[in-house]
């Protein structure tokens, strides 16, 4: 005969030979005195669902039925869904990973593998196949979300998201940290001169290597052009070159009597004028990528901020771009649908989806770009589909 569990607080206690039967053999629960174990509600529901428990005595628990008679899976599931946050979606993910051969523990103390992390950090830890909670070798730290919930961008790296949609299908995403590193060997000249227009800068006599080797800007071209060497730079490209002391403005069209200060202040002010505070964040990320010898170019056609080339020798022999980069604020919260769209698009064009979680301290209207951009915090998070 299968044993009966007893709900005490938010854990289900099981006696008899429960330690040998459930914890030692299959990694359920946590040991108590003697052979007794404590199960989380999700673990207990899974054992009930499998028929490994004969019932659970709710015993007057506020979330359950009155009386002490053991209840089956249906009544325990409903009572737990009323008492525990996101119980239904957590149960679906727990059951799915168990069916895939993983042992899991709730990711909170005093369960094995648990911690005192905030409640929205991780729900379960899944151990390497063949490993038990005693070994502590965690394969996936699982955060469970429904498709209509949101997920904080900050601190996402290192977690596995299990998204449960409205039809109870589960999609897994792996979020990893780590910077984008390139191998492009090019130093722009230090004597560039440009004209600031509405939302770009034109360098009229740009050296050939600025575009062909550094992949800066885009040449002004046409079928019957008589102009050579004219290169259009985006505002982030121009701001970066000015901050590095490689570009000076000969003319600023449109800010007569307006922004005072150096060239960096003028370009930053224009960037903020055309796209708000988003310009600050994009410029900070652009600077980080260039500083890591990667070449960022606009990702507009892919719905991203940048696409990246890691090793550019010449534009004539341009490699495939490796990443799509989307810049988000430090307090940004992703919707699962947003993540799914970005990751699916990146995979469809053979690129890795990277989010640059950026906190810019703000430099004021007259601050030099070099001062505040390089003080910004950027956390890199790459996200991809995962099959556990």
């Amino acid at each position: 005969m299968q044993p009966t569990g007893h709900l005490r607080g938010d854990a289900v206690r099981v006696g008899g030979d429960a330690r040998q039967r459930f914890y030692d053999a299959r990694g359920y629960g946590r040991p108590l005195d003697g052979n007794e174990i404590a199960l989380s509600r999700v673990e207990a529901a899974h054992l009930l669902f499998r028929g490994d428990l004969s019932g659970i005595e709710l015993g007057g628990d506020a979330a359950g039925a009155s009386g002490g008679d053991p209840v089956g899976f249906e009544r325990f599931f409903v009572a737990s869904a009323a008492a525990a946050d996101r119980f239904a979606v957590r149960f679906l993910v727990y059951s799915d990973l168990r069916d895939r051969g993983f042992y899991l523990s709730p990711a909170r103390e005093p369960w094995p593998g648990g911690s005192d992390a905030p409640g929205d950090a991780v729900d379960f830890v899944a151990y390497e196949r063949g490993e038990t909670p005693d070994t502590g070798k965690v394969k996936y730290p699982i955060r469970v979300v429904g498709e209509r919930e949101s997920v904080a961008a900050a601190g996402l790296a290192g977690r596995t998201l299990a998204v449960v949609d409205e039809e109870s299908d589960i999609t897994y995403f792996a979020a990893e940290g780590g910077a984008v590193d390139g191998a492009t060997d090019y130093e722009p000249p230090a004597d560039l001169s440009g004209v600031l227009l509405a939302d770009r800068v034109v360098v009229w006599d740009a050296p050939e290597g600025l575009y062909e080797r550094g992949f800066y800007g885009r040449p002004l071209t046409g079928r019957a052009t008589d102009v050579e060497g004219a290169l259009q730079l985006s505002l982030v490209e121009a701001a970066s070159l000015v901050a590095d002391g490689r570009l000076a403005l000969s003319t600023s069209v449109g800010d007569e009597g307006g922004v005072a200060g150096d060239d960096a202040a003028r370009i930053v002010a224009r960037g903020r004028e055309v796209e708000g505070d988003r310009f600050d964040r994009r410029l900070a990320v652009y600077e980080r990528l260039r500083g890591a010898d990667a070449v960022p170019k606009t990702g507009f056609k892919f719905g991203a901020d940048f696409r990246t080339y890691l090793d550019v020798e010449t534009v004539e022999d341009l490699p495939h771009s490796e990443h799509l980069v989307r810049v988000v604020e430090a307090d940004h919260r992703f919707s699962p649908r947003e993540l799914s769209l970005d990751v699916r698009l990146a995979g469809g064009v053979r690129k890795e989806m990277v989010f640059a979680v950026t906190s810019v301290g703000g430099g004021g209207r007259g601050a030099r770009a070099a001062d505040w951009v390089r003080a910004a915090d950027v956390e890199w998070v790459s996200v991809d589909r995962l099959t556990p």
Side-chain angles (χ1 to χ4, degrees):
M1 183 174 177
Q2 306 293 24
T4 298
H6 305 270
L7 182 64
R8 299 292 183 267
D10 201 34
V12 175
R13 296 194 174 202
V14 185
D17 61 351
R19 175 162 183 161
Q20 294 85 353
R21 180 188 296 211
F22 297 128
Y23 179 77
D24 293 341
R26 291 185 279 167
Y28 285 92
R30 57 185 172 87
L32 299 175
D33 294 335
N35 288 324
E36 189 178 28
I37 66 169
L39 301 166
S40 69
R41 285 180 178 267
V42 169
E43 291 175 309
H46 190 249
L47 289 173
L48 266 181
F49 183 73
R50 290 172 49 89
D52 292 328
L53 290 177
S54 62
I56 294 177
E57 179 186 305
L58 298 176
D61 180 83
S66 61
D69 292 338
V71 302
F73 173 77
E74 180 180 336
R75 290 186 63 188
F76 181 73
F77 188 94
V78 171
S80 294
D85 179 48
R86 298 175 299 112
F87 176 82
V89 292
R90 288 191 293 114
F91 174 81
L92 290 170
V93 172
Y94 183 91
S95 298
D96 181 67
L97 290 170
R98 274 282 178 178
D99 290 344
R100 293 172 186 263
F102 292 98
Y103 289 174
L104 300 94
S105 294
R108 67 178 189 275
E109 295 288 1
W111 264 263
S115 69
D116 294 323
D120 66 347
V122 177
D123 292 284
F124 306 113
V125 289
Y127 302 95
E128 297 273 2
R129 283 191 176 91
E131 303 289 350
T132 66
D134 285 331
T135 66
K137 294 182 179 179
V138 175
K139 177 68 172 177
Y140 301 118
I142 308 292
R143 167 64 175 159
V144 180
V145 294
E147 72 164 276
R148 297 180 181 88
E149 297 180 63
S150 64
V151 182
L156 181 60
R159 298 179 191 166
T160 300
L161 291 180
V163 180
V164 183
D165 67 24
E166 65 180 359
E167 295 183 352
S168 298
D169 285 334
I170 303 169
T171 302
Y172 294 93
F173 296 95
E176 302 292 342
V180 176
D181 293 316
T184 301
D185 184 16
Y186 176 75
E187 287 289 332
D191 57 353
L192 300 171
S193 176
V195 176
L196 174 61
L197 302 179
D199 62 351
R200 65 204 65 221
V201 170
V202 176
V203 178
W204 292 113
D205 54 352
E208 183 179 358
L210 188 62
Y211 175 73
E212 292 295 334
R213 289 279 293 108
F215 206 9
Y216 282 90
R218 182 179 180 86
L220 275 172
T221 59
R223 291 183 179 180
T225 181
D226 192 38
V227 177
E228 295 183 0
L231 194 68
Q232 299 180 89
L233 300 173
S234 70
L235 288 177
V236 289
E237 290 176 314
S240 178
L241 288 168
V242 168
D244 288 339
R246 301 181 182 277
L247 172 66
L249 298 179
S250 60
T251 306
S252 299
V253 177
D255 62 9
E256 292 81 358
V259 178
D262 58 22
D263 290 342
R266 289 189 178 92
I267 295 181
V268 168
R270 185 63 58 82
R272 291 171 176 171
E273 181 182 328
V274 299
E275 60 177 320
D277 291 342
R278 179 171 171 266
F279 179 79
D280 293 21
R281 295 188 294 273
R282 291 180 63 242
L283 179 54
V285 172
Y286 182 92
E287 281 275 277
R288 294 299 189 282
L289 291 169
R290 279 288 183 180
D293 294 328
V295 176
K297 299 296 286 184
T298 179
F300 173 79
K301 292 181 180 179
F302 305 101
D305 288 287
F306 302 109
R307 67 190 194 277
T308 66
Y309 299 87
L310 299 186
D311 190 4
V312 176
E313 294 187 3
T314 67
V315 173
E316 290 292 326
D317 189 25
L318 196 64
H320 183 74
S321 59
E322 291 89 352
H323 305 92
L324 292 183
V325 179
R326 191 152 76 84
V327 181
V328 298
E329 297 176 84
D331 60 355
H332 181 75
R333 295 189 70 88
F334 292 108
S335 72
R337 183 180 297 274
E338 174 188 12
L339 277 176
S340 183
L341 284 170
D342 285 338
V343 171
R344 176 69 73 180
L345 175 59
V349 293
R350 297 180 296 136
K351 304 182 196 306
E352 182 179 354
M353 190 68 223
V354 176
F355 297 96
V357 185
T358 309
S359 176
V360 177
R365 305 303 292 185
R368 291 186 59 86
D371 294 336
W372 58 264
V373 168
R374 288 162 187 158
D377 294 324
V378 178
E379 177 190 3
W380 304 97
V381 184
S382 64
V383 181
D384 201 359
R385 290 280 296 270
L386 170 72
T387 301

